[in-house]
Amino acid sequence: MREFLVEITTTVPEGTGQVEVDRRRAAEAVRARELAAGGNLVRLWRPVGELRSIGVWRAADEEELTEKVLGTLPLRPWMTLTVTPLESHPNDPGRM
C-alpha cells in the first residue's frame, strides 16, 4: 500500500443540529478505529489550537484512498481534504 499525508478541515454546515453533529462524530470515531485496524489509518494529529487534522493514511492508490477509505468517513461531506502522496526518503531514520 502507498502512504499519503492527508490534511482534513471539517466545517459543520450552518444550521446543523447538535444531535446530528454528535451522531456523526460518534460514527466517525468508530469508522476511524475500523480503518486503523485495517491498516488504512496509520497516524492522526491535530495541530495545537487548530480545528484540522493531519494524518498518514494508506491505500493502493489515490483513487482508492479518496473513494473507498476517506469517502467512507461519516464527516466526509463536511470535509475539505488536501492529499499528498508520499514516498520514502533515503535519509529516513526509520529505514536505518
Side-chain angles (χ1 to χ4, degrees):
M1 285 202 288
R2 297 191 58 201
E3 291 187 326
F4 299 87
L5 180 69
V6 180
E7 293 185 50
I8 301 170
T9 302
T10 304
T11 305
V12 177
E14 201 167 314
T16 303
Q18 191 61 46
V19 170
E20 177 65 10
V21 172
D22 293 345
R23 183 190 69 76
R24 285 189 188 231
R25 285 189 176 149
E28 185 85 5
V30 169
R31 185 64 183 134
R33 286 191 296 276
E34 293 169 351
L35 291 168
N40 297 105
L41 175 55
V42 180
R43 295 294 308 266
L44 194 60
W45 299 270
R46 173 164 286 150
V48 175
E50 296 185 33
L51 295 176
R52 65 185 177 103
S53 301
I54 300 170
V56 175
W57 298 75
R58 289 187 181 135
D61 54 36
E62 193 166 340
E63 181 179 345
E64 179 183 271
L65 176 72
T66 57
E67 292 179 16
K68 296 181 181 176
V69 177
L70 299 171
T72 68
L73 295 170
L75 292 172
R76 176 61 187 103
W78 300 346
M79 291 177 171
T80 302
L81 305 172
T82 302
V83 176
T84 305
L86 300 173
E87 61 183 27
S88 293
H89 190 285
N91 297 329
D92 178 4
R95 295 180 56 180
M96 298 177 178

